[in-house]
Amino acid sequence: MPSHLSADRSAAQPPRRGSVDALISQTRQLRGEVDAVRREAPSDGTDPQERWQRALCNLAMRQLNDLDAHLAQLRDGPPPFPAPLPAAPTTTEAVAAASRHGSLLSRVGSAEWNLLTDEAGWSGELYQILGRDPVAPALTLDELPSLVLDEDRVKLTSMVTDCLIDAKPIDGEFRIVRPDGEVRAVHMMAEPVLDADGSTTSMWAVLRDVSELRRSQRTVSERHDSLQHQRHLAQTERRIAVELQESVLPPWRGALRSPHRGPGTLDLAAHYLPSSTGALIGGDWYDALELPDGQMLLSVGDLTGRGVTVTSGMAMLLGALRGMAMAGTEPGQLMSWLNQLLDTTVQPALGSAVCCRYRPETRTLSWAQAGHPAPLLFREGTGRALTAPDGVLLGATSGAVYGQAEEALEEGDLLLLHTDGLVPRQWGSSRRAEAGSEAGTAAVQGLLGLAPRFDGARTAQDCVRMVVEEFGESERADDACVLIARVGS
């Protein structure tokens, strides 16, 4: 493997869950130790050093809570979502963003406002947070709202009033507008300083810029909401596609019923197998329809793509196929007209199909194909693929001409039609000897290998059950269906 690919894969590995759990444990232990220090700190509010110590402990507790939440999110990862999302910022991009705007836990500034002298004192860090000139005088409490976003001024005024009048500590956020027009989110923790009579003489505070932290939280929330919305859309689309599919395909639970009874009657059964890797329904179909003259239409096909659009296209194609067959159109001509129909649709699509017309009075099968696996014929314990007439994919080229072949069937013969997703591509190289044939694909050989079991089956439904038992549990990247017709006496 090239070295650069190895490096890329190493960089893309997620952090090990055990190491993240260890960090969470350490964070929580540290949070407990900080809380113990905070509870031991004096709380009479007379010593500025003690006030500063207590404020830093409170701030550290809040930051450790944020860190714990972020580590838990890192451990659990994003919620699952079928559809691809825009790439998250790389580590380099995140570092660059942090360099432009400061870290998520920015510098902490402090301030004290003396209510007796109307003087204010700010730390240098607070000047940086608020974007003020460090040589300019600090703003008084009356002037502070001039920095605050209009929508947040009432909130700040209420917090300060409660602190000064009712001695309630402040623990809240507001947004400020820096002189350069940039809006920043500031978290403020403050408390009043009381004299011996219990009157408020001043208020001091610690403030930190939490803009990047809040932006990160909003991004996570928006991403989660987007995932939820996309999941809901995917579930809705799948439900609609399933309902549309079930409304047009014959039921596959149990044998397919045919009103016709007599010599050469077909015993019919089918099954639909959804993809094991995709949430959306594909365009596979099967059909068995008795025509007005007593003949039978048998068909399977696959329209490329997935989702409601493809399923509705499949329904349109199947409806056209049935209508033309009811009008007496032979399989070769029918394929030509289906190709013309796909060629003129608004949504370009490709499809493959096999269409058979069975005449019970003569046990004759006329059929045509469009880029699709040929029907398999099983007789007296052996099987073979029918020789396919010419035919290209539906929708691939305008004016395509499709050949038509005939096959004489016998009592007890079994005809198997399927779409190409039935047998996974990785299946069967070790089982080819069982098929007794060196020709064809692994999928065809795998199905032909069931010939001895089919020979002992009583009904078409039993044969379908054998196919599902053999291939139904395999991982498949595409939907698939199988239709089996057994010629009666």
Side-chain angles (χ1 to χ4, degrees), residues 1 32 123 270 394 396 429:
M1 179 184 294
S123 68
L394 299 173
S429 59

Side-chain angles (χ1 to χ4, degrees), residues 21-294:
D21 285 337
L23 287 174
I24 292 176
S25 178
Q26 294 172 17
T27 300
R28 292 175 180 175
Q29 180 180 353
L30 180 58
R31 186 172 58 189
E33 294 172 355
V34 172
D35 186 46
V37 172
R38 180 179 63 172
R39 284 187 276 106
E40 292 172 0
S43 58
D44 55 11
T46 57
D47 187 343
Q49 184 64 29
E50 293 172 353
R51 292 201 307 265
W52 180 247
Q53 178 183 345
R54 188 169 62 256
L56 287 181
C57 286
N58 289 335
L59 185 60
M61 288 290 293
R62 179 174 289 275
Q63 293 179 348
L64 287 170
N65 287 335
D66 289 340
L67 179 60
D68 184 45
H70 288 315
L71 288 173
Q73 182 187 4
L74 178 64
R75 176 193 61 193
D76 298 337
F81 189 79
L85 293 173
T90 64
T91 302
T92 303
E93 292 168 343
V95 170
S99 300
R100 290 193 300 270
H101 300 294
S103 65
L104 292 180
L105 305 177
S106 302
R107 286 176 177 267
V108 178
S110 62
E112 185 163 4
W113 289 275
N114 191 313
L115 303 181
L116 302 179
T117 63
D118 203 27
E119 293 177 335
W122 287 2
S123 68
E125 290 82 4
L126 184 55
Y127 277 96
Q128 293 180 21
I129 291 172
L130 302 181
R132 304 285 295 178
D133 186 346
V135 301
L139 298 183
T140 67
L141 279 177
D142 290 334
E143 296 171 330
L144 185 62
S146 65
L147 303 180
V148 179
L149 205 64
D150 291 345
E151 301 94 289
D152 292 355
R153 285 179 184 171
V154 173
K155 178 181 179 181
L156 175 63
T157 301
S158 176
M159 289 191 298
V160 171
T161 300
D162 289 344
C163 181
L164 297 181
I165 296 179
D166 298 327
K168 293 182 179 179
I170 293 176
D171 186 351
E173 291 184 20
F174 51 88
R175 292 166 294 173
I176 59 102
V177 182
R178 293 160 58 106
D180 59 4
E182 183 180 11
V183 176
R184 308 292 289 178
V186 175
H187 175 251
M188 179 179 185
M189 298 179 69
E191 60 183 46
V193 179
L194 308 179
D195 61 13
D197 298 330
S199 301
T200 303
T201 59
S202 63
M203 188 184 85
W204 73 277
V206 290
L207 300 95
R208 66 173 174 135
D209 186 345
V210 293
S211 304
E212 299 308 317
L213 177 61
R214 298 298 173 250
R215 184 176 291 113
S216 174
Q217 291 172 338
R218 284 196 302 272
T219 300
V220 170
S221 177
E222 290 168 359
R223 183 69 59 86
H224 181 268
D225 291 344
S226 176
L227 286 171
Q228 290 291 91
H229 179 64
Q230 292 183 35
R231 184 181 296 112
H232 175 71
L233 290 179
Q235 291 172 343
T236 301
E237 182 173 355
R238 176 178 175 80
R239 177 179 55 79
I240 294 173
V242 168
E243 291 176 355
L244 179 58
Q245 182 192 64
E246 291 179 346
S247 69
V248 296
L249 296 186
W252 51 262
R253 293 175 178 84
L256 301 178
R257 298 187 178 276
S258 172
H260 178 75
R261 292 293 181 268
T265 300
L266 295 179
D267 174 24
L268 298 164
H271 195 88
Y272 186 92
L273 291 166
S275 164
S276 55
T277 60
L280 297 179
I281 298 296
D284 292 61
W285 85 81
Y286 64 89
D287 196 25
L289 177 68
E290 185 169 20
L291 303 175
D293 56 6

